[in-house]
Amino acid sequence: MLAKSWIVAAAMLCTVVASGSALAEDPSQPIRVLLVGNSQCPTIVNQQLLEKLAASDKEGRPFLVGGCIKGGASLQSHWEAGTKEGTARAMIAASDWDYVLLQDIYYVKAPAFEPYARKFDSLVKESGARPVLFGTASILSDYPAGFERQHQLHETMGKELAATIVDASSAYRRYFGDAPSQERLESLFAKDRAHPGLWGSYLYACMIYSAITDRSPLGLAAPESIPADVVKTLQETAWAQHQETAARLQK
């Protein structure tokens, strides 16, 4: 992924709904989310996509988002960075998060993914937070095999750990459809065809929103530069995939 590294710590208060969740006991308190990942994630944090989605749901709660985001990072490299200030492990321990999203590198395979997913899952649960496995899309040149690999890795581990998963690789495939044009395939990617563009990042954010709140993103806020019909399709895609993924995890 990108050579440049990010360590982002964002704390923005907005409104989110958490009906049906134990977190809804005090609607004045924010839902605190830490995103641990790599260069698939900066747009989500830097453009406050999650916070803005949440803020547009007028019946809900504040959202507080933080990030430990480093270009090219895997869960293994995040873990092996240790516990010094600014590392994922330190940030998990240092704050009272409600959810920690764990996002691995796009080319990861089971031998490298599974042990570190387990390590982070244990650490997050020990901290009192809830782990969420965030399976992003692969690079476009690895479509569809890399997308299926991401799906299988995260669904398998989600079942083992009884963890929530964000199956965004499957959401991308759902959005593409059965016989997508090259234009549609490229529409979710940046010019490098490896990182998500704004549309892809927004689809990620909608998926995360639904995974955390179990609420639909339909009708909620979106960046003004995304056409309204595309926004609707992305929101519908995210909600449909969330429902399917949640049902599969319960089987």
Side-chain angles (χ1 to χ4, degrees):
M1 309 307 283
L2 294 180
K4 181 178 179 181
S5 293
W6 289 271
I7 298 179
V8 184
M12 305 296 295
L13 294 182
C14 296
T15 307
V16 70
V17 166
S19 61
S21 165
L23 296 173
E25 295 175 0
D26 185 350
S28 69
Q29 294 301 309
I31 296 175
R32 299 169 58 88
V33 181
L34 175 66
L35 177 55
V36 176
N38 55 45
S39 56
Q40 290 281 319
C41 302
T43 299
I44 298 172
V45 176
N46 295 341
Q47 296 204 23
Q48 302 169 21
L49 296 180
L50 285 169
E51 294 92 332
K52 291 174 182 177
L53 274 169
S56 64
D57 196 330
K58 301 303 181 182
E59 298 178 358
R61 302 175 51 186
F63 225 51
L64 187 152
V65 178
C68 183
I69 300 172
K70 301 181 181 182
S74 62
L75 289 182
Q76 179 176 351
S77 67
H78 272 298
W79 185 269
E80 292 177 347
T83 57
K84 63 184 179 182
E85 184 177 0
T87 63
R89 290 163 67 183
M91 292 181 72
I92 291 168
S95 191
D96 186 20
W97 305 105
D98 296 306
Y99 293 91
V100 177
L101 274 78
L102 304 167
Q103 183 256 319
D104 214 322
I105 196 76
Y106 72 92
Y107 54 75
V108 72
K109 295 183 180 179
F113 174 68
E114 292 178 352
Y116 292 96
R118 294 184 186 110
K119 288 176 184 289
F120 270 111
D121 177 78
S122 295
L123 180 65
V124 171
K125 288 175 178 174
E126 287 170 5
S127 77
R130 305 178 189 183
V132 178
L133 301 178
F134 178 17
T136 65
S138 185
I139 58 177
L140 188 53
S141 62
D142 197 19
Y143 177 81
F147 291 66
E148 179 61 21
R149 181 179 63 250
Q150 283 277 69
H151 161 72
Q152 291 293 342
L153 284 173
H154 286 80
E155 182 172 287
T156 298
M157 190 54 55
K159 288 180 177 180
E160 176 186 321
L161 300 175
T164 299
I165 68 171
V166 175
D167 193 6
S169 57
S170 292
Y172 266 51
R173 295 181 71 182
R174 182 184 290 270
Y175 178 82
F176 291 153
D178 293 333
S181 65
Q182 191 65 26
E183 180 181 6
R184 192 165 183 89
L185 287 171
E186 293 178 352
S187 67
L188 298 184
F189 287 88
K191 291 181 179 180
D192 64 5
R193 296 159 54 95
H195 296 88
L198 181 59
W199 294 14
S201 293
Y202 182 68
L203 181 55
Y204 284 171
C206 289
M207 287 290 296
I208 294 168
Y209 177 83
S210 290
I212 289 176
T213 67
D214 197 29
R215 287 182 59 86
S216 170
L218 290 171
L220 299 186
E224 292 182 359
S225 62
I226 304 179
D229 61 327
V230 175
V231 168
K232 184 173 184 291
T233 302
L234 292 171
Q235 292 173 343
E236 290 173 342
T237 299
W239 181 236
Q241 188 59 55
H242 165 69
Q243 292 178 300
E244 179 181 308
T245 298
R248 289 172 67 93
L249 287 174
Q250 293 176 4
K251 291 182 178 180

